Amino acid sequence: MKLAFSIAELAITWILIPILLFAGAPFSAALGMRIFGTVIIAGSLFLSIYSALVLYYWSGRLPTFFFGPETTVQSGPYRFVRHPFNAGFIAFIFGLGILCGDYWRLLYVVVVTAAVVLYSLFQERLAIKRIDSYKEYKERIPFMIPDPRRRISFDKSRSIPWQFIVASFVVKLAILFVLPSRVKNSKVLRQKRPFVIAMAHQTHFDGPLIFYSTWRYIRFVGTAIYVDRLGLLGWLSVIPVRRYAVDTSAIRQMLATIKQGVPLGIAPEAARSWDGRPLHTKREIWKLFRMLKIPIIPVKFFGVQRLWPRWSKIFSVGTSTIEFGNPVEADDPQLEEKVMDFLGKEDSTFKLPYRNYKHIEKLIWRCPSCGTISSIKGFRSGFSCSSCGKSWTKPTVNEVIQIHDKIMPGSMGLSFPIKDDVIYNGKKVVATMYEDHATIGDYRLDYNLIKNSSIEKSIEPVFGIANEMVSFVSTTSALKWQEVVDFQIKFRLKKENYHTDLWG
């Protein structure tokens, strides 16, 4: 009801009042005045629309009496003046007065300006009563005319980058055409307090689908290597986290962000799944969730795995469902179980085949029939082995999972050494895996020194040892390296404290 009244208020203000003021006007101003008036109108519309979007993304409210914000907004134009939306309306009426050619009507602008100023002052009286921080904000920022000496500096924890708003609109439009999606239980995102969106990370569709699902400003947390390489992620205010260290800077940014009431978006597994099933989650993630002391809202994406799996370089057009779970409090003793149970919910589309099997050899890195490594070749309708000749035509996602399980170390024996051509330090060299170490060109990597592993960009195995990382690009399958080396460390060398995404 409040939203309906707000829309009616905006319609009266921006449509009915201008019609009443300038109905019958000749609009015969000279060319120079027409240009001047048009520029003012365009600028005023941009200012007001941008101000309304900033306010809506920040608070979920509109700049109206009935549906006004319940928190102080210090982002966009609100960093410079307290009432940019109303100032834009005054400029809009003034621009129409210039265009109309009947300059006596500019007296209307004076009356409207006085009325808008009084209305803005009335809004402030209400804001001071219901928003604790508004009085301090009022003392810092000018009313409607900017003052270079009085402004709030830009800070991503309290200011929405304009790129975020533009990207949100672009992504929403793209998803409508590429992946029209149904959103379930989105009402949980209307909470006034901050929260964490915990995503089941399957594909590159995940982030865009969150954009599609909500109109809120969300700060995602991402791996530093991606944020550094992709400037767009920095513009979207993604918080970079160094994967192989205790990143106190990232934690400070998270705390500053939730202090301002802004939600965080975090993938607990910290990596995309290769076959659609949840990965093992670090204990540190659950410690982080409890430390943040805000609700955790899990979200699951259905139908995306078969359209754009991690091993594929291309995506297919289709449909999906985005389902948000009910909030789980950070102090809930069953936090981990409740979140992971939701993220592990069955996806009925796993009973269907993939749309395309090209590059599946990055996942199925050896033949499940004869065991030959790097003999699988994917094509549009399936894949086959160049060694034994066996082929698979349109297996379902679940069947591919079963095949992947079959080739995993521990399920099918391995014969060492295992050779691979890799790119290391910019040069193509031969790398070889042995039972207790690997050689990458002239470099020897002892498994007992490795503390953790991951895969960046789906092609680059990364192994953390002491204070450095060893990384290279595999020309066949990065997953092969992680699965073989991790298995040797976890089960052959029996390192209990070794973390791997693959086994708990």
Side-chain angles (χ1 to χ4, degrees), residues 304-324:
V304 295
Q305 174 64 23
R306 58 188 294 265
L307 301 177
W308 198 2
R310 182 172 183 178
W311 44 262
S312 179
K313 296 180 180 179
I314 56 177
F315 66 84
S316 300
V317 175
T319 60
S320 75
T321 298
I322 309 144
E323 183 177 356
F324 292 92

PDB file of all heavy atoms in Angstrom, residues 304-324:
ATOM      1  N   VAL A 304      21.471 -24.341 -13.964  1.00  0.00           N
ATOM      2  CA  VAL A 304      22.594 -23.638 -14.579  1.00  0.00           C
ATOM      3  C   VAL A 304      23.761 -24.553 -14.912  1.00  0.00           C
ATOM      4  O   VAL A 304      24.523 -24.290 -15.840  1.00  0.00           O
ATOM      5  CB  VAL A 304      23.081 -22.478 -13.679  1.00  0.00           C
ATOM      6  CG1 VAL A 304      22.012 -21.412 -13.544  1.00  0.00           C
ATOM      7  CG2 VAL A 304      23.504 -22.988 -12.308  1.00  0.00           C
ATOM      8  N   GLN A 305      23.912 -25.655 -14.162  1.00  0.00           N
ATOM      9  CA  GLN A 305      25.085 -26.515 -14.354  1.00  0.00           C
ATOM     10  C   GLN A 305      25.150 -27.066 -15.774  1.00  0.00           C
ATOM     11  O   GLN A 305      26.213 -27.091 -16.398  1.00  0.00           O
ATOM     12  CB  GLN A 305      25.054 -27.661 -13.340  1.00  0.00           C
ATOM     13  CG  GLN A 305      26.137 -28.720 -13.518  1.00  0.00           C
ATOM     14  CD  GLN A 305      27.546 -28.195 -13.307  1.00  0.00           C
ATOM     15  OE1 GLN A 305      27.741 -27.191 -12.649  1.00  0.00           O
ATOM     16  NE2 GLN A 305      28.529 -28.885 -13.883  1.00  0.00           N
ATOM     17  N   ARG A 306      24.034 -27.483 -16.310  1.00  0.00           N
ATOM     18  CA  ARG A 306      24.032 -28.092 -17.643  1.00  0.00           C
ATOM     19  C   ARG A 306      24.158 -27.049 -18.755  1.00  0.00           C
ATOM     20  O   ARG A 306      24.376 -27.399 -19.917  1.00  0.00           O
ATOM     21  CB  ARG A 306      22.760 -28.921 -17.848  1.00  0.00           C
ATOM     22  CG  ARG A 306      21.462 -28.123 -17.694  1.00  0.00           C
ATOM     23  CD  ARG A 306      20.257 -29.041 -17.710  1.00  0.00           C
ATOM     24  NE  ARG A 306      20.105 -29.680 -19.003  1.00  0.00           N
ATOM     25  CZ  ARG A 306      19.304 -29.212 -19.974  1.00  0.00           C
ATOM     26  NH1 ARG A 306      18.623 -28.091 -19.789  1.00  0.00           N
ATOM     27  NH2 ARG A 306      19.203 -29.858 -21.111  1.00  0.00           N
ATOM     28  N   LEU A 307      24.016 -25.768 -18.399  1.00  0.00           N
ATOM     29  CA  LEU A 307      24.117 -24.708 -19.394  1.00  0.00           C
ATOM     30  C   LEU A 307      25.522 -24.119 -19.489  1.00  0.00           C
ATOM     31  O   LEU A 307      25.956 -23.687 -20.560  1.00  0.00           O
ATOM     32  CB  LEU A 307      23.119 -23.586 -19.069  1.00  0.00           C
ATOM     33  CG  LEU A 307      21.646 -23.995 -19.023  1.00  0.00           C
ATOM     34  CD1 LEU A 307      20.786 -22.797 -18.611  1.00  0.00           C
ATOM     35  CD2 LEU A 307      21.191 -24.540 -20.369  1.00  0.00           C
ATOM     36  N   TRP A 308      26.232 -24.075 -18.369  1.00  0.00           N
ATOM     37  CA  TRP A 308      27.572 -23.465 -18.380  1.00  0.00           C
ATOM     38  C   TRP A 308      28.440 -24.081 -17.292  1.00  0.00           C
ATOM     39  O   TRP A 308      28.776 -23.428 -16.305  1.00  0.00           O
ATOM     40  CB  TRP A 308      27.473 -21.960 -18.190  1.00  0.00           C
ATOM     41  CG  TRP A 308      28.712 -21.222 -18.610  1.00  0.00           C
ATOM     42  CD1 TRP A 308      29.848 -21.735 -19.159  1.00  0.00           C
ATOM     43  CD2 TRP A 308      28.927 -19.815 -18.505  1.00  0.00           C
ATOM     44  NE1 TRP A 308      30.761 -20.738 -19.421  1.00  0.00           N
ATOM     45  CE2 TRP A 308      30.216 -19.537 -19.030  1.00  0.00           C
ATOM     46  CE3 TRP A 308      28.157 -18.752 -18.037  1.00  0.00           C
ATOM     47  CZ2 TRP A 308      30.736 -18.262 -19.078  1.00  0.00           C
ATOM     48  CZ3 TRP A 308      28.684 -17.470 -18.092  1.00  0.00           C
ATOM     49  CH2 TRP A 308      29.961 -17.225 -18.607  1.00  0.00           C
ATOM     50  N   PRO A 309      28.841 -25.341 -17.433  1.00  0.00           N
ATOM     51  CA  PRO A 309      29.714 -25.959 -16.431  1.00  0.00           C
ATOM     52  C   PRO A 309      31.090 -25.323 -16.433  1.00  0.00           C
ATOM     53  O   PRO A 309      31.497 -24.692 -17.416  1.00  0.00           O
ATOM     54  CB  PRO A 309      29.782 -27.424 -16.887  1.00  0.00           C
ATOM     55  CG  PRO A 309      29.497 -27.365 -18.356  1.00  0.00           C
ATOM     56  CD  PRO A 309      28.518 -26.242 -18.539  1.00  0.00           C
ATOM     57  N   ARG A 310      31.806 -25.508 -15.351  1.00  0.00           N
ATOM     58  CA  ARG A 310      33.112 -24.865 -15.215  1.00  0.00           C
ATOM     59  C   ARG A 310      34.088 -25.316 -16.297  1.00  0.00           C
ATOM     60  O   ARG A 310      34.951 -24.550 -16.731  1.00  0.00           O
ATOM     61  CB  ARG A 310      33.697 -25.157 -13.831  1.00  0.00           C
ATOM     62  CG  ARG A 310      35.033 -24.466 -13.605  1.00  0.00           C
ATOM     63  CD  ARG A 310      35.522 -24.603 -12.187  1.00  0.00           C
ATOM     64  NE  ARG A 310      36.775 -23.867 -12.003  1.00  0.00           N
ATOM     65  CZ  ARG A 310      37.432 -23.766 -10.867  1.00  0.00           C
ATOM     66  NH1 ARG A 310      36.958 -24.356  -9.785  1.00  0.00           N
ATOM     67  NH2 ARG A 310      38.557 -23.076 -10.793  1.00  0.00           N
ATOM     68  N   TRP A 311      33.969 -26.548 -16.744  1.00  0.00           N
ATOM     69  CA  TRP A 311      34.916 -27.064 -17.721  1.00  0.00           C
ATOM     70  C   TRP A 311      34.655 -26.562 -19.138  1.00  0.00           C
ATOM     71  O   TRP A 311      35.455 -26.781 -20.043  1.00  0.00           O
ATOM     72  CB  TRP A 311      34.916 -28.595 -17.710  1.00  0.00           C
ATOM     73  CG  TRP A 311      33.562 -29.240 -17.659  1.00  0.00           C
ATOM     74  CD1 TRP A 311      32.927 -29.715 -16.558  1.00  0.00           C
ATOM     75  CD2 TRP A 311      32.680 -29.497 -18.764  1.00  0.00           C
ATOM     76  NE1 TRP A 311      31.699 -30.246 -16.878  1.00  0.00           N
ATOM     77  CE2 TRP A 311      31.536 -30.126 -18.230  1.00  0.00           C
ATOM     78  CE3 TRP A 311      32.737 -29.263 -20.128  1.00  0.00           C
ATOM     79  CZ2 TRP A 311      30.452 -30.524 -19.033  1.00  0.00           C
ATOM     80  CZ3 TRP A 311      31.670 -29.646 -20.928  1.00  0.00           C
ATOM     81  CH2 TRP A 311      30.548 -30.276 -20.381  1.00  0.00           C
ATOM     82  N   SER A 312      33.530 -25.892 -19.357  1.00  0.00           N
ATOM     83  CA  SER A 312      33.168 -25.441 -20.701  1.00  0.00           C
ATOM     84  C   SER A 312      33.568 -23.987 -20.923  1.00  0.00           C
ATOM     85  O   SER A 312      33.481 -23.163 -20.008  1.00  0.00           O
ATOM     86  CB  SER A 312      31.665 -25.591 -20.923  1.00  0.00           C
ATOM     87  OG  SER A 312      31.292 -25.131 -22.211  1.00  0.00           O
ATOM     88  N   LYS A 313      33.978 -23.676 -22.142  1.00  0.00           N
ATOM     89  CA  LYS A 313      34.334 -22.299 -22.492  1.00  0.00           C
ATOM     90  C   LYS A 313      33.147 -21.518 -23.042  1.00  0.00           C
ATOM     91  O   LYS A 313      33.251 -20.316 -23.281  1.00  0.00           O
ATOM     92  CB  LYS A 313      35.464 -22.296 -23.525  1.00  0.00           C
ATOM     93  CG  LYS A 313      36.782 -22.874 -23.038  1.00  0.00           C
ATOM     94  CD  LYS A 313      37.827 -22.824 -24.130  1.00  0.00           C
ATOM     95  CE  LYS A 313      39.157 -23.413 -23.658  1.00  0.00           C
ATOM     96  NZ  LYS A 313      40.179 -23.382 -24.736  1.00  0.00           N
ATOM     97  N   ILE A 314      32.029 -22.190 -23.283  1.00  0.00           N
ATOM     98  CA  ILE A 314      30.864 -21.545 -23.873  1.00  0.00           C
ATOM     99  C   ILE A 314      29.637 -21.819 -23.004  1.00  0.00           C
ATOM    100  O   ILE A 314      29.595 -22.788 -22.251  1.00  0.00           O
ATOM    101  CB  ILE A 314      30.607 -22.043 -25.309  1.00  0.00           C
ATOM    102  CG1 ILE A 314      30.467 -23.575 -25.327  1.00  0.00           C
ATOM    103  CG2 ILE A 314      31.733 -21.605 -26.242  1.00  0.00           C
ATOM    104  CD1 ILE A 314      30.144 -24.141 -26.679  1.00  0.00           C
ATOM    105  N   PHE A 315      28.636 -20.956 -23.118  1.00  0.00           N
ATOM    106  CA  PHE A 315      27.394 -21.164 -22.383  1.00  0.00           C
ATOM    107  C   PHE A 315      26.245 -21.367 -23.367  1.00  0.00           C
ATOM    108  O   PHE A 315      26.329 -20.989 -24.535  1.00  0.00           O
ATOM    109  CB  PHE A 315      27.091 -19.992 -21.446  1.00  0.00           C
ATOM    110  CG  PHE A 315      26.792 -18.692 -22.131  1.00  0.00           C
ATOM    111  CD1 PHE A 315      25.512 -18.407 -22.581  1.00  0.00           C
ATOM    112  CD2 PHE A 315      27.783 -17.743 -22.330  1.00  0.00           C
ATOM    113  CE1 PHE A 315      25.230 -17.203 -23.216  1.00  0.00           C
ATOM    114  CE2 PHE A 315      27.523 -16.543 -22.957  1.00  0.00           C
ATOM    115  CZ  PHE A 315      26.239 -16.275 -23.402  1.00  0.00           C
ATOM    116  N   SER A 316      25.174 -21.968 -22.869  1.00  0.00           N
ATOM    117  CA  SER A 316      23.979 -22.187 -23.671  1.00  0.00           C
ATOM    118  C   SER A 316      22.826 -21.391 -23.088  1.00  0.00           C
ATOM    119  O   SER A 316      22.784 -21.106 -21.892  1.00  0.00           O
ATOM    120  CB  SER A 316      23.617 -23.680 -23.691  1.00  0.00           C
ATOM    121  OG  SER A 316      24.667 -24.451 -24.244  1.00  0.00           O
ATOM    122  N   VAL A 317      21.873 -21.028 -23.927  1.00  0.00           N
ATOM    123  CA  VAL A 317      20.679 -20.304 -23.498  1.00  0.00           C
ATOM    124  C   VAL A 317      19.690 -21.294 -22.900  1.00  0.00           C
ATOM    125  O   VAL A 317      19.534 -22.412 -23.395  1.00  0.00           O
ATOM    126  CB  VAL A 317      20.050 -19.556 -24.692  1.00  0.00           C
ATOM    127  CG1 VAL A 317      18.739 -18.898 -24.287  1.00  0.00           C
ATOM    128  CG2 VAL A 317      21.023 -18.527 -25.236  1.00  0.00           C
ATOM    129  N   GLY A 318      19.027 -20.895 -21.819  1.00  0.00           N
ATOM    130  CA  GLY A 318      18.060 -21.774 -21.173  1.00  0.00           C
ATOM    131  C   GLY A 318      17.298 -21.042 -20.094  1.00  0.00           C
ATOM    132  O   GLY A 318      17.225 -19.804 -20.101  1.00  0.00           O
ATOM    133  N   THR A 319      16.738 -21.776 -19.165  1.00  0.00           N
ATOM    134  CA  THR A 319      16.003 -21.190 -18.046  1.00  0.00           C
ATOM    135  C   THR A 319      16.597 -21.697 -16.731  1.00  0.00           C
ATOM    136  O   THR A 319      17.277 -22.718 -16.696  1.00  0.00           O
ATOM    137  CB  THR A 319      14.514 -21.556 -18.097  1.00  0.00           C
ATOM    138  OG1 THR A 319      14.377 -22.984 -18.027  1.00  0.00           O
ATOM    139  CG2 THR A 319      13.875 -21.060 -19.387  1.00  0.00           C
ATOM    140  N   SER A 320      16.318 -20.976 -15.654  1.00  0.00           N
ATOM    141  CA  SER A 320      16.822 -21.390 -14.344  1.00  0.00           C
ATOM    142  C   SER A 320      15.868 -20.953 -13.255  1.00  0.00           C
ATOM    143  O   SER A 320      14.932 -20.175 -13.498  1.00  0.00           O
ATOM    144  CB  SER A 320      18.211 -20.796 -14.096  1.00  0.00           C
ATOM    145  OG  SER A 320      18.119 -19.419 -13.789  1.00  0.00           O
ATOM    146  N   THR A 321      16.107 -21.461 -12.065  1.00  0.00           N
ATOM    147  CA  THR A 321      15.361 -21.055 -10.873  1.00  0.00           C
ATOM    148  C   THR A 321      16.356 -20.640  -9.806  1.00  0.00           C
ATOM    149  O   THR A 321      17.366 -21.322  -9.589  1.00  0.00           O
ATOM    150  CB  THR A 321      14.485 -22.203 -10.345  1.00  0.00           C
ATOM    151  OG1 THR A 321      13.532 -22.566 -11.341  1.00  0.00           O
ATOM    152  CG2 THR A 321      13.743 -21.786  -9.080  1.00  0.00           C
ATOM    153  N   ILE A 322      16.071 -19.517  -9.165  1.00  0.00           N
ATOM    154  CA  ILE A 322      16.906 -19.022  -8.075  1.00  0.00           C
ATOM    155  C   ILE A 322      16.083 -19.122  -6.798  1.00  0.00           C
ATOM    156  O   ILE A 322      15.025 -18.503  -6.698  1.00  0.00           O
ATOM    157  CB  ILE A 322      17.318 -17.554  -8.305  1.00  0.00           C
ATOM    158  CG1 ILE A 322      17.904 -17.381  -9.704  1.00  0.00           C
ATOM    159  CG2 ILE A 322      18.269 -17.067  -7.242  1.00  0.00           C
ATOM    160  CD1 ILE A 322      17.561 -16.063 -10.337  1.00  0.00           C
ATOM    161  N   GLU A 323      16.552 -19.895  -5.849  1.00  0.00           N
ATOM    162  CA  GLU A 323      15.794 -20.076  -4.614  1.00  0.00           C
ATOM    163  C   GLU A 323      16.614 -19.613  -3.408  1.00  0.00           C
ATOM    164  O   GLU A 323      17.741 -20.068  -3.209  1.00  0.00           O
ATOM    165  CB  GLU A 323      15.389 -21.541  -4.417  1.00  0.00           C
ATOM    166  CG  GLU A 323      14.534 -21.749  -3.176  1.00  0.00           C
ATOM    167  CD  GLU A 323      14.066 -23.180  -2.997  1.00  0.00           C
ATOM    168  OE1 GLU A 323      14.341 -24.008  -3.889  1.00  0.00           O
ATOM    169  OE2 GLU A 323      13.434 -23.474  -1.961  1.00  0.00           O
ATOM    170  N   PHE A 324      16.035 -18.722  -2.638  1.00  0.00           N
ATOM    171  CA  PHE A 324      16.663 -18.237  -1.410  1.00  0.00           C
ATOM    172  C   PHE A 324      16.108 -19.016  -0.217  1.00  0.00           C
ATOM    173  O   PHE A 324      14.899 -19.236  -0.113  1.00  0.00           O
ATOM    174  CB  PHE A 324      16.412 -16.743  -1.216  1.00  0.00           C
ATOM    175  CG  PHE A 324      17.102 -15.879  -2.228  1.00  0.00           C
ATOM    176  CD1 PHE A 324      16.455 -15.513  -3.401  1.00  0.00           C
ATOM    177  CD2 PHE A 324      18.402 -15.445  -2.021  1.00  0.00           C
ATOM    178  CE1 PHE A 324      17.091 -14.721  -4.347  1.00  0.00           C
ATOM    179  CE2 PHE A 324      19.046 -14.665  -2.964  1.00  0.00           C
ATOM    180  CZ  PHE A 324      18.385 -14.299  -4.129  1.00  0.00           C
TER     181      PHE A 324
END
